[in-house]
Amino acid sequence: MIDLSLLEPIFSVLRPDAAIFRHTGNVKERIGSASNTSCPRNIHVCRDGIYLALSGSIQGGS
């Protein structure tokens, strides 16, 4: 038996959006597969019609 609250996992999916809505009433605008917090991250259509998905969400260290 695993006794786990389902509250913590859903908050990790929603990130701070649920708390922002609760306090401000503002709903975050949809951005599709893009991301406001990491770059590059999106799906792009190439010239030949093939889709290319990029996701580089970890900063490199020096």
Side-chain angles (χ1 to χ4, degrees):
M1 174 184 215
I2 298 174
D3 184 12
L4 175 69
S5 167
L6 295 179
L7 193 58
E8 288 86 8
I10 196 66
F11 275 120
S12 69
V13 172
L14 292 176
R15 301 177 322 175
D17 298 338
I20 291 170
F21 175 76
R22 171 87 173 166
H23 289 286
T24 67
N26 294 332
V27 177
K28 184 177 177 182
E29 183 178 326
R30 292 182 179 191
I31 58 172
S33 61
S35 173
N36 292 335
T37 57
S38 63
C39 182
R41 183 170 184 191
N42 207 346
I43 297 175
H44 304 276
V45 181
C46 299
R47 193 180 319 183
D48 60 0
I50 302 292
Y51 288 88
L52 173 67
L54 294 174
S55 182
S57 57
I58 298 176
Q59 294 180 352
S62 321

